[in-house]
Amino acid sequence: MRIDIITVLPEMLEGFVNESILARAQKKGLAEIHLHNLRDYTNDKWRRVDDYPYGGFAGMVMQCEPIDRAISALKAERDYDEVIYTSPDGERFDQHVANELSMKGNIIILCGHYKGIDQRVRDNLITREISIGDYVLTGGELAAAVMADAIVRIVPGVIGDEQSALSDCFQDDMLSAPIYTRPADYKGWKVPEVLLSGHEAKIKAWEMEQAMERTRRLRPDLLKD
């Protein structure tokens, strides 16, 4: 899959998209992540991409023209399944949305900034608005990074043990069970005996029981009525 991120701060994302799982996915040829500086698409000699809002409101607003040019330039090269705008009033990003987007071929993510973007961009160029939580960030770069990581890591083949991705928290609307590693006894803090038993069925039953208990206690909102 391919993710194109349009931003006024590409430097903020360069290190992130070229490390860890995202770097591995790109080296394997399973994903492409490209950063585009919105300022490269403006005719303003100062490379400005924002202006004052009509109506006398406070703050600065991202302009239509450079955003339209950036998106149009990308669309001239390939088809895109989604053009996503990172916005605090968009739909909530969760594991289900990540799973859905991981099945797409090409995605554009437009990072919001300043007070926001001209509404005409949202009305005519954006196919989907997504929020990573009910709070406001300085810009959409962190949201784009979160989405890219969550989406790419579940693309088949990115993680060596694909079952690891499938059993992550939230995949089945439940938190994961507690996990342990060696030593089996540290300062008297012991690993549950069932995990040392080698009895696969019992271990699976324990995992499900623990996952359900943790979800009820910590995130009861995830459990369906």
Side-chain angles (χ1 to χ4, degrees):
M1 74 172 307
R2 175 180 172 123
I3 300 176
D4 288 275
I5 301 176
I6 301 172
T7 169
V8 296
L9 295 171
E11 301 84 1
M12 187 174 178
L13 292 169
E14 284 172 356
F16 183 83
V17 302
N18 290 303
E19 296 290 342
S20 189
I21 295 296
L22 296 184
R24 184 189 307 174
Q26 294 176 84
K27 288 176 182 176
K28 287 183 175 181
L30 299 172
E32 295 180 49
I33 303 175
H34 298 271
L35 304 178
H36 306 274
N37 191 335
L38 184 61
R39 299 185 190 281
D40 293 338
Y41 296 91
T42 179
N43 287 328
D44 184 88
K45 66 178 181 179
W46 306 112
R47 290 166 57 84
R48 287 182 52 179
V49 295
D50 62 311
D51 209 334
Y52 294 101
Y54 284 119
F57 300 105
M60 302 295 283
V61 179
M62 294 172 71
Q63 297 172 298
C64 282
E65 187 174 7
I67 296 174
D68 183 31
R69 287 186 177 186
I71 293 175
S72 296
L74 291 172
K75 284 186 171 181
E77 298 176 357
R78 66 193 59 81
D79 293 327
Y80 284 90
D81 300 292
E82 298 281 7
V83 180
I84 298 168
Y85 171 51
T86 59
S87 170
D89 52 7
E91 66 176 293
R92 180 74 68 89
F93 185 73
D94 60 17
Q95 190 63 51
H96 297 293
V97 175
N99 292 345
E100 177 192 345
L101 292 176
S102 73
M103 304 299 292
K104 305 290 186 181
N106 302 311
I107 297 171
I108 294 174
I109 301 178
L110 171 64
C111 300
H113 216 73
Y114 310 113
K115 189 176 181 65
I117 61 174
D118 191 302
Q119 182 63 37
R120 290 168 291 184
V121 173
R122 303 172 82 164
D123 292 340
N124 297 287
L125 299 175
I126 302 302
T127 64
R128 195 165 186 174
E129 300 188 13
I130 295 180
S131 167
I132 62 169
D134 294 337
Y135 44 84
V136 179
L137 298 169
T138 301
E141 286 73 23
L142 291 176
V146 166
M147 285 192 282
D149 185 273
I151 293 166
V152 170
R153 71 185 306 278
I154 52 178
V155 171
V158 171
I159 294 179
D161 179 5
E162 292 186 17
Q163 290 303 312
S164 176
L166 292 174
S167 62
D168 282 343
C169 275
F170 308 115
Q171 282 291 0
D172 296 310
D173 290 323
M174 284 200 301
L175 303 184
S176 59
I179 54 176
Y180 302 84
T181 189
R182 298 177 182 176
D185 187 337
Y186 177 71
K187 293 185 175 180
W189 307 338
K190 297 182 179 181
V191 173
E193 288 294 331
V194 65
L195 298 180
L196 308 176
S197 68
H199 195 299
E200 186 175 348
K202 289 183 178 179
I203 291 173
K204 290 294 183 185
W206 178 88
E207 287 179 341
M208 180 59 70
E209 178 185 309
Q210 292 293 313
M212 183 64 74
E213 188 279 327
R214 291 188 74 236
T215 304
R216 285 198 184 103
R217 177 165 49 88
L218 301 174
R219 289 293 306 275
D221 56 295
L222 293 174
L223 298 174
K224 294 181 174 63
D225 295 332

